[in-house]
Amino acid sequence: MLRLGKREFGPQERVIMAIVNRTPDSFYDQGATFRDEPALTRVEQAVADGAAIIDIGGVKAGPGEEVTAEEEARRTVGFVAEVRRRFPDVVISVDTWRHEVGEAVCEAGADVLNDAWGGVDPRLAEVAARYGAGLVCTHAGGARPRTRPHRVSYDDVMADILRVTVGLAERAVSLGVPRESVMIDPGHDFGKNTRHSLEATRRLGEMVSTGWPVLVSLSNKDFVGESLDRPVKERVVGTLATTAVSAWLGARVYRVHEVAETRQVLDMVSAIAGEREPAVGRRGLA
């Protein structure tokens, strides 16, 4: 059982986490949801399309203009409170590596702290424990926040992913984070080149076998673009293919831009796996 906020998700339930960027320079939407009203419209549509989790970020992952903790909090805290007011049952996640921001968003009603930079601030897990919030434990290969990998290498990338993410998850539980609210993330593109991310996808079953719920953040990333030689706006098909493979291998949570399309992919995988009945059954029955 995965328990996040007020929601419980069964072992065969594939869960969508919709991305809502509160940044003016997002790699994908170039600030389309930086202002409050477009961002709230995005939340409403994502929930209608099948997202159970809304992941709010105040700093883009890549290099760019410096964003202080105070500015990150300004972009996220009030918005978290408003989403909590308008959508009382949705799970709210905040993508941050800073404990100060984690504290502020949990006070405002966040249910999950999505630590995409692999525990670079160890106090973030302490905040999650104090508030009973969920925590995403990510492999970032030791990279510093907002840096790109350069000639990074691993003897065995999945062995390193398992060592780091399971270690972070066990530490979080030892601090008091509820075990049923901890997820591990291989960190596609974070501290990795394209071949590393492809191998992490191929071997995702090894993460699933640890028993920790696996979250994947695949959406329109560079490893998809380089695999297919496609720019950012032409990576949806590759993302959905990777999503289907990840679902078949057992990932539980999917952090995405395209919610409706992802929902169809996940429902189809569930139907093939015999975990979901077809929506209708007319063929051959007339």
Coordinates of all heavy atoms in Angstrom, one line a residue, residues 7-68:
R7 N -4.9 9.9 0.5 CA -5.1 8.8 -0.5 C -4.3 7.6 -0.2 O -3.2 7.6 0.3 CB -4.8 9.3 -1.9 CG -5.5 10.6 -2.4 CD -7.0 10.2 -2.8 NE -7.0 9.2 -3.8 CZ -6.9 9.5 -5.1 NH1 -6.8 10.8 -5.5 NH2 -7.0 8.6 -6.1
E8 N -4.9 6.4 -0.5 CA -4.2 5.2 -0.4 C -4.3 4.5 -1.8 O -5.4 4.6 -2.4 CB -4.8 4.2 0.6 CG -4.6 4.7 2.0 CD -5.2 3.7 3.0 OE1 -5.8 2.7 2.6 OE2 -4.9 3.8 4.2
F9 N -3.2 4.0 -2.3 CA -3.1 3.4 -3.6 C -2.7 1.9 -3.5 O -1.7 1.6 -2.8 CB -2.1 4.2 -4.5 CG -2.4 5.6 -4.6 CD1 -1.7 6.5 -3.8 CD2 -3.4 6.1 -5.5 CE1 -2.0 7.9 -3.9 CE2 -3.6 7.5 -5.6 CZ -2.9 8.4 -4.8
G10 N -3.5 1.1 -4.1 CA -3.3 -0.3 -4.0 C -2.0 -0.8 -4.8 O -1.5 0.0 -5.6
P11 N -1.6 -2.0 -4.6 CA -0.3 -2.4 -5.2 C -0.3 -2.5 -6.7 O 0.7 -2.5 -7.3 CB -0.1 -3.8 -4.6 CG -1.4 -4.2 -4.0 CD -2.1 -3.0 -3.7
Q12 N -1.5 -2.6 -7.3 CA -1.6 -2.7 -8.8 C -2.1 -1.4 -9.4 O -2.3 -1.3 -10.6 CB -2.5 -3.8 -9.2 CG -2.0 -5.2 -8.8 CD -2.9 -6.3 -9.2 OE1 -4.2 -6.1 -9.4 NE2 -2.4 -7.5 -9.4
E13 N -2.2 -0.3 -8.6 CA -2.7 1.0 -9.1 C -1.5 1.8 -9.6 O -0.5 2.1 -8.8 CB -3.4 1.7 -7.9 CG -4.2 2.9 -8.4 CD -5.1 3.4 -7.3 OE1 -5.2 2.7 -6.2 OE2 -5.8 4.4 -7.5
R14 N -1.6 2.2 -10.8 CA -0.6 3.1 -11.4 C -1.0 4.5 -11.3 O -2.1 4.9 -11.8 CB -0.3 2.6 -12.9 CG 0.2 1.2 -12.9 CD 0.5 0.7 -14.3 NE 1.2 -0.6 -14.4 CZ 0.6 -1.8 -14.4 NH1 -0.7 -1.9 -14.4 NH2 1.4 -2.9 -14.3
V15 N -0.2 5.3 -10.7 CA -0.6 6.7 -10.3 C 0.1 7.8 -11.1 O 1.4 7.7 -11.3 CB -0.2 6.8 -8.8 CG1 -0.7 8.2 -8.3 CG2 -0.8 5.7 -7.9
I16 N -0.6 8.8 -11.5 CA 0.0 9.9 -12.3 C 0.2 11.1 -11.4 O -0.7 11.5 -10.6 CB -1.0 10.3 -13.4 CG1 -1.0 9.1 -14.4 CG2 -0.5 11.6 -14.1 CD1 -1.9 9.4 -15.6
M17 N 1.4 11.6 -11.5 CA 1.8 12.9 -10.8 C 2.0 13.9 -11.9 O 2.9 13.8 -12.8 CB 3.1 12.6 -10.1 CG 3.8 13.9 -9.5 SD 5.4 13.6 -8.9 CE 5.1 13.1 -7.2
A18 N 1.1 14.9 -11.9 CA 1.1 15.9 -13.0 C 2.1 17.1 -12.6 O 2.1 17.6 -11.5 CB -0.3 16.5 -13.2
I19 N 2.9 17.5 -13.6 CA 3.9 18.5 -13.3 C 3.2 19.9 -13.5 O 2.6 20.2 -14.5 CB 5.0 18.4 -14.3 CG1 5.7 17.1 -14.2 CG2 6.0 19.6 -14.2 CD1 6.7 16.7 -15.3
V20 N 3.4 20.8 -12.5 CA 3.0 22.2 -12.6 C 4.2 23.0 -12.2 O 4.5 23.1 -11.1 CB 1.8 22.5 -11.7 CG1 1.4 23.9 -11.8 CG2 0.6 21.6 -12.0
N21 N 4.8 23.6 -13.2 CA 6.0 24.5 -13.0 C 5.6 25.9 -12.7 O 4.9 26.6 -13.5 CB 6.9 24.4 -14.2 CG 7.5 23.1 -14.5 OD1 8.0 22.5 -13.6 ND2 7.4 22.6 -15.7
R22 N 6.1 26.4 -11.5 CA 5.9 27.8 -11.2 C 7.2 28.6 -11.5 O 7.7 29.3 -10.6 CB 5.5 27.9 -9.7 CG 4.3 27.2 -9.3 CD 3.0 27.4 -10.1 NE 2.8 28.8 -10.5 CZ 2.4 29.7 -9.7 NH1 2.0 29.5 -8.5 NH2 2.2 31.0 -10.1
T23 N 7.7 28.4 -12.7 CA 8.9 29.0 -13.1 C 8.7 29.7 -14.4 O 7.9 29.3 -15.2 CB 10.0 27.9 -13.3 OG1 9.6 27.0 -14.3 CG2 10.2 27.1 -12.0
P24 N 9.5 30.8 -14.6 CA 9.3 31.5 -15.9 C 10.2 30.9 -17.0 O 10.1 31.4 -18.2 CB 9.8 32.9 -15.5 CG 10.9 32.7 -14.5 CD 10.4 31.5 -13.7
D25 N 11.0 29.9 -16.7 CA 12.0 29.4 -17.7 C 12.0 27.9 -17.7 O 13.1 27.3 -18.0 CB 13.4 29.9 -17.3 CG 13.7 29.7 -15.8 OD1 12.9 29.1 -15.1 OD2 14.9 30.0 -15.4
S26 N 10.9 27.3 -17.6 CA 10.8 25.8 -17.7 C 11.3 25.3 -19.0 O 11.0 25.9 -20.0 CB 9.4 25.3 -17.4 OG 9.2 24.0 -17.9
F27 N 12.0 24.2 -19.1 CA 12.5 23.7 -20.3 C 11.4 23.3 -21.3 O 11.6 23.3 -22.5 CB 13.5 22.5 -20.1 CG 12.8 21.2 -20.1 CD1 12.8 20.3 -21.2 CD2 12.1 20.7 -18.9 CE1 12.2 19.1 -21.2 CE2 11.5 19.5 -18.9 CZ 11.5 18.7 -20.0
Y28 N 10.2 22.9 -20.7 CA 9.2 22.4 -21.5 C 8.1 23.4 -21.9 O 7.8 23.5 -23.1 CB 8.5 21.2 -20.7 CG 7.4 20.5 -21.6 CD1 7.7 19.8 -22.7 CD2 6.1 20.7 -21.2 CE1 6.8 19.2 -23.4 CE2 5.1 20.1 -22.0 CZ 5.4 19.3 -23.1 OH 4.5 18.7 -23.9
D29 N 7.6 24.2 -20.9 CA 6.5 25.1 -21.3 C 6.9 26.6 -21.2 O 6.1 27.4 -21.5 CB 5.3 24.9 -20.3 CG 5.7 25.1 -18.9 OD1 6.5 25.9 -18.6 OD2 5.0 24.5 -18.0
Q30 N 8.2 26.9 -21.0 CA 8.7 28.2 -21.0 C 7.9 29.2 -20.2 O 7.7 30.4 -20.5 CB 8.8 28.8 -22.5 CG 9.9 28.1 -23.3 CD 9.5 26.8 -23.8 OE1 8.5 26.6 -24.4 NE2 10.3 25.7 -23.6
G31 N 7.4 28.8 -19.0 CA 6.7 29.6 -18.1 C 5.2 29.7 -18.3 O 4.6 30.6 -17.8
A32 N 4.6 28.8 -19.0 CA 3.1 28.8 -19.2 C 2.3 28.8 -18.0 O 1.2 29.3 -17.9 CB 2.7 27.7 -20.1
T33 N 2.8 28.2 -16.9 CA 2.1 28.1 -15.6 C 2.8 28.9 -14.5 O 2.6 28.6 -13.3 CB 1.8 26.7 -15.2 OG1 3.1 26.0 -15.2 CG2 0.9 26.0 -16.2
F34 N 3.5 29.9 -14.9 CA 4.2 30.7 -13.9 C 3.2 31.6 -13.1 O 3.3 31.7 -11.9 CB 5.3 31.6 -14.6 CG 6.1 32.4 -13.6 CD1 6.7 31.8 -12.5 CD2 6.4 33.8 -13.9 CE1 7.5 32.6 -11.6 CE2 7.2 34.5 -13.0 CZ 7.7 33.9 -11.9
R35 N 2.2 32.1 -13.8 CA 1.2 32.9 -13.1 C 0.1 32.0 -12.5 O -0.1 30.9 -13.0 CB 0.6 33.9 -14.1 CG 1.5 35.0 -14.6 CD 0.8 36.0 -15.5 NE 0.3 35.4 -16.7 CZ -1.0 35.3 -16.9 NH1 -1.9 35.7 -16.0 NH2 -1.5 34.7 -18.1
D36 N -0.6 32.5 -11.5 CA -1.5 31.7 -10.7 C -2.6 31.1 -11.5 O -2.9 29.9 -11.4 CB -2.0 32.5 -9.6 CG -1.0 32.7 -8.4 OD1 0.1 32.1 -8.5 OD2 -1.3 33.5 -7.5
E37 N -3.3 31.9 -12.3 CA -4.5 31.4 -12.9 C -4.2 30.3 -14.0 O -4.9 29.3 -14.0 CB -5.4 32.6 -13.5 CG -6.1 33.4 -12.5 CD -6.9 32.5 -11.5 OE1 -7.6 31.6 -12.0 OE2 -6.8 32.7 -10.3
P38 N -3.3 30.5 -14.9 CA -2.9 29.4 -15.8 C -2.5 28.2 -15.0 O -2.8 27.1 -15.4 CB -1.8 30.0 -16.6 CG -1.9 31.5 -16.6 CD -2.5 31.8 -15.2
A39 N -1.8 28.4 -13.9 CA -1.4 27.2 -13.1 C -2.5 26.5 -12.5 O -2.6 25.3 -12.5 CB -0.4 27.7 -12.1
L40 N -3.5 27.2 -12.0 CA -4.7 26.6 -11.4 C -5.5 25.9 -12.4 O -6.1 24.9 -12.2 CB -5.5 27.7 -10.6 CG -4.8 28.2 -9.3 CD1 -5.5 29.4 -8.8 CD2 -4.9 27.1 -8.2
T41 N -5.6 26.5 -13.6 CA -6.3 25.9 -14.7 C -5.6 24.6 -15.1 O -6.3 23.5 -15.4 CB -6.4 26.8 -16.0 OG1 -7.1 28.0 -15.6 CG2 -7.0 26.1 -17.1
R42 N -4.3 24.6 -15.1 CA -3.5 23.3 -15.3 C -3.9 22.3 -14.3 O -4.1 21.1 -14.6 CB -2.1 23.7 -15.3 CG -1.1 22.5 -15.1 CD -1.1 21.6 -16.3 NE 0.0 20.6 -16.1 CZ 0.1 19.4 -16.8 NH1 -0.8 19.1 -17.7 NH2 1.0 18.6 -16.5
V43 N -3.9 22.6 -13.0 CA -4.3 21.7 -12.0 C -5.6 21.1 -12.2 O -5.8 19.9 -12.1 CB -4.2 22.4 -10.6 CG1 -4.7 21.4 -9.5 CG2 -2.8 22.8 -10.3
E44 N -6.6 21.9 -12.5 CA -8.0 21.5 -12.7 C -8.1 20.5 -13.9 O -8.7 19.4 -13.8 CB -8.9 22.7 -13.0 CG -10.4 22.3 -13.2 CD -11.2 23.5 -13.3 OE1 -10.7 24.6 -13.6 OE2 -12.5 23.4 -13.1
Q45 N -7.4 20.8 -15.0 CA -7.4 19.9 -16.1 C -6.6 18.6 -15.8 O -7.1 17.5 -16.2 CB -6.7 20.6 -17.3 CG -6.8 19.8 -18.6 CD -8.3 19.6 -19.1 OE1 -9.0 20.6 -19.2 NE2 -8.7 18.4 -19.2
A46 N -5.5 18.7 -15.1 CA -4.8 17.5 -14.8 C -5.6 16.5 -13.9 O -5.6 15.3 -14.2 CB -3.5 17.9 -14.1
V47 N -6.3 17.1 -13.0 CA -7.1 16.2 -12.1 C -8.3 15.6 -12.9 O -8.6 14.4 -12.8 CB -7.7 17.1 -10.9 CG1 -8.7 16.3 -10.2 CG2 -6.6 17.5 -10.0
A48 N -8.9 16.4 -13.8 CA -9.9 15.9 -14.7 C -9.4 14.8 -15.6 O -10.2 13.8 -15.9 CB -10.6 17.0 -15.5
D49 N -8.2 14.9 -16.0 CA -7.6 13.9 -16.9 C -7.1 12.6 -16.2 O -6.6 11.7 -16.9 CB -6.5 14.5 -17.7 CG -7.0 15.5 -18.8 OD1 -8.2 15.4 -19.1 OD2 -6.1 16.3 -19.2
G50 N -7.1 12.6 -14.9 CA -6.7 11.4 -14.2 C -5.5 11.5 -13.3 O -5.0 10.4 -12.8
A51 N -5.0 12.7 -13.0 CA -3.8 12.8 -12.1 C -4.3 12.8 -10.7 O -5.3 13.4 -10.3 CB -3.1 14.1 -12.3
A52 N -3.7 12.0 -9.8 CA -4.0 11.9 -8.4 C -3.0 12.8 -7.6 O -3.4 13.2 -6.5 CB -3.9 10.5 -7.9
I53 N -1.9 13.1 -8.2 CA -0.9 13.9 -7.5 C -0.5 15.1 -8.4 O -0.4 15.0 -9.6 CB 0.4 13.1 -7.2 CG1 0.1 11.8 -6.5 CG2 1.4 13.9 -6.4 CD1 1.3 10.8 -6.5
I54 N -0.4 16.3 -7.7 CA 0.1 17.5 -8.4 C 1.5 17.8 -7.9 O 1.6 18.0 -6.7 CB -0.9 18.7 -8.2 CG1 -2.3 18.4 -8.7 CG2 -0.3 19.9 -8.8 CD1 -2.4 18.1 -10.2
D55 N 2.5 17.9 -8.8 CA 3.8 18.2 -8.3 C 4.2 19.6 -8.7 O 4.3 19.9 -9.9 CB 4.8 17.2 -9.0 CG 6.2 17.3 -8.4 OD1 6.3 17.2 -7.2 OD2 7.2 17.4 -9.2
I56 N 4.4 20.4 -7.7 CA 4.6 21.9 -7.9 C 6.1 22.2 -7.7 O 6.7 21.8 -6.7 CB 3.8 22.7 -6.9 CG1 2.3 22.4 -7.1 CG2 4.1 24.1 -7.0 CD1 1.4 22.8 -6.0
G57 N 6.7 22.8 -8.8 CA 8.1 23.2 -8.7 C 8.3 24.6 -8.8 O 7.7 25.3 -9.7
G58 N 9.2 25.2 -8.0 CA 9.5 26.6 -8.1 C 10.9 26.9 -8.7 O 11.2 28.1 -8.8
V59 N 11.7 25.9 -9.1 CA 13.0 26.1 -9.7 C 13.2 25.1 -10.8 O 13.0 23.9 -10.5 CB 14.1 25.9 -8.6 CG1 15.5 26.3 -9.3 CG2 13.9 26.8 -7.4
K60 N 13.6 25.5 -12.0 CA 13.8 24.6 -13.0 C 15.0 23.7 -12.7 O 15.9 24.2 -12.0 CB 13.9 25.2 -14.4 CG 15.2 25.9 -14.7 CD 15.3 26.3 -16.2 CE 16.7 26.8 -16.5 NZ 16.8 27.1 -18.0
A61 N 15.0 22.5 -13.2 CA 16.1 21.6 -12.9 C 17.4 22.0 -13.5 O 18.5 21.8 -12.9 CB 15.8 20.2 -13.3
G62 N 17.4 22.5 -14.7 CA 18.7 22.9 -15.4 C 19.3 24.2 -14.9 O 18.7 24.9 -14.1
P63 N 20.5 24.4 -15.4 CA 21.2 25.7 -15.1 C 20.3 26.9 -15.6 O 19.5 26.8 -16.5 CB 22.5 25.6 -15.9 CG 22.7 24.2 -16.2 CD 21.3 23.6 -16.3
G64 N 20.6 28.0 -14.9 CA 19.8 29.2 -15.2 C 20.0 30.3 -14.1 O 20.9 30.2 -13.3
E65 N 19.2 31.3 -14.2 CA 19.2 32.4 -13.2 C 19.1 31.8 -11.8 O 18.3 30.9 -11.5 CB 18.1 33.4 -13.5 CG 18.1 34.6 -12.6 CD 17.0 35.5 -12.9 OE1 16.5 35.5 -14.1 OE2 16.6 36.3 -12.0
E66 N 19.9 32.3 -10.9 CA 19.8 31.9 -9.5 C 18.4 32.1 -8.9 O 17.9 33.2 -9.1 CB 20.9 32.6 -8.6 CG 20.9 32.1 -7.2 CD 21.8 32.9 -6.3 OE1 22.5 33.8 -6.8 OE2 21.9 32.6 -5.1
V67 N 17.9 31.2 -8.2 CA 16.7 31.3 -7.5 C 16.9 31.0 -6.0 O 17.3 29.9 -5.6 CB 15.6 30.3 -8.0 CG1 14.3 30.5 -7.2 CG2 15.4 30.5 -9.5
T68 N 16.8 32.0 -5.1 CA 17.0 31.8 -3.7 C 15.9 31.0 -3.1 O 14.8 30.8 -3.7 CB 17.1 33.2 -3.0 OG1 15.8 33.8 -3.1 CG2 18.2 34.1 -3.6

